[in-house]
Amino acid sequence: MSNATEGTPQNGQDTVRKLDKPHKEWKKELSDGQYDVLFNEATERAGSSPLDGEKRSGTFVCAACYLPLFASTAKFDSGTGWPSFYQPIAGHVETKRDFKLIWPRTEYHCARCGGHQGHIFDDGPKPTGKRYCNNGIALRFVQTSEKLPELRG
């Protein structure tokens, strides 16, 4: 993964068809908090999401378009107060540089709708050493025993 490239798909794959849906349309389908994080790149308070403690088997999907982003097997307890994963589902997130703080960071978005999910750090566990630090409000959890929702958008 190249952290310097705008819109770089993870694992060099571009397997997801992008949506061309205006943000104002998403605003009608999401809570104010979800919209603020997903499309204004806000950050939820640490410890505010019940998904941080989610330990069941399943899939974490984008709260906007329902694209599967992470398998529960890639989730770990980072102790940060946000749901954390060591790798996304291949081709389902894209990265770009974020210069909102003094030092540059790598943020990642849903490859389908462009919804902001969180930031990537180099302090995760093996095998990747990465920590995808996700806003819980930007995700929806679907247990293995449930059917994944139809993609929306």
Side-chain angles (χ1 to χ4, degrees):
M1 164 178 76
S2 169
N3 290 341
T5 305
E6 288 280 317
T8 303
Q10 289 293 291
N11 301 322
Q13 297 180 13
D14 191 11
T15 59
V16 175
R17 196 178 96 224
K18 294 183 186 316
L19 291 175
D20 185 21
K21 182 174 181 169
H23 287 185
K24 66 182 178 180
E25 294 298 316
W26 285 116
K27 194 168 182 85
K28 297 174 189 175
E29 299 179 38
L30 302 168
S31 71
D32 289 343
Q34 287 174 315
Y35 182 82
D36 200 33
V37 168
L38 286 160
F39 297 105
N40 290 327
E41 298 183 349
T43 300
E44 69 185 359
R45 251 182 332 101
S48 65
S49 174
L51 292 183
D52 185 35
E54 181 60 66
K55 297 188 182 334
R56 295 174 291 176
S57 179
T59 303
F60 293 84
V61 303
C62 174
C65 72
Y66 301 156
L67 180 71
L69 299 179
F70 297 97
S72 61
T73 54
K75 187 173 186 297
F76 69 98
D77 183 2
S78 66
T80 61
W82 288 282
S84 298
F85 307 87
Y86 62 81
Q87 73 182 18
I89 294 172
H92 288 205
V93 302
E94 293 182 336
T95 62
K96 72 176 186 177
R97 293 296 259 173
D98 171 355
F99 293 95
K100 292 177 187 137
L101 297 179
I102 294 171
W103 63 93
R105 300 180 298 172
T106 301
E107 65 182 46
Y108 62 99
H109 299 258
C110 172
R112 186 165 182 264
C113 71
H116 172 75
Q117 296 292 321
H119 290 86
I120 305 170
F121 300 95
D122 291 325
D123 60 0
K126 292 180 180 182
T128 66
K130 301 291 184 192
R131 172 172 51 99
Y132 289 77
C133 188
N134 218 101
N135 288 285
I137 200 167
L139 295 171
R140 177 178 167 189
F141 178 69
V142 182
Q143 291 185 66
T144 301
S145 61
E146 300 173 12
K147 184 177 187 230
L148 287 172
E150 295 285 325
L151 295 178
R152 74 174 173 181

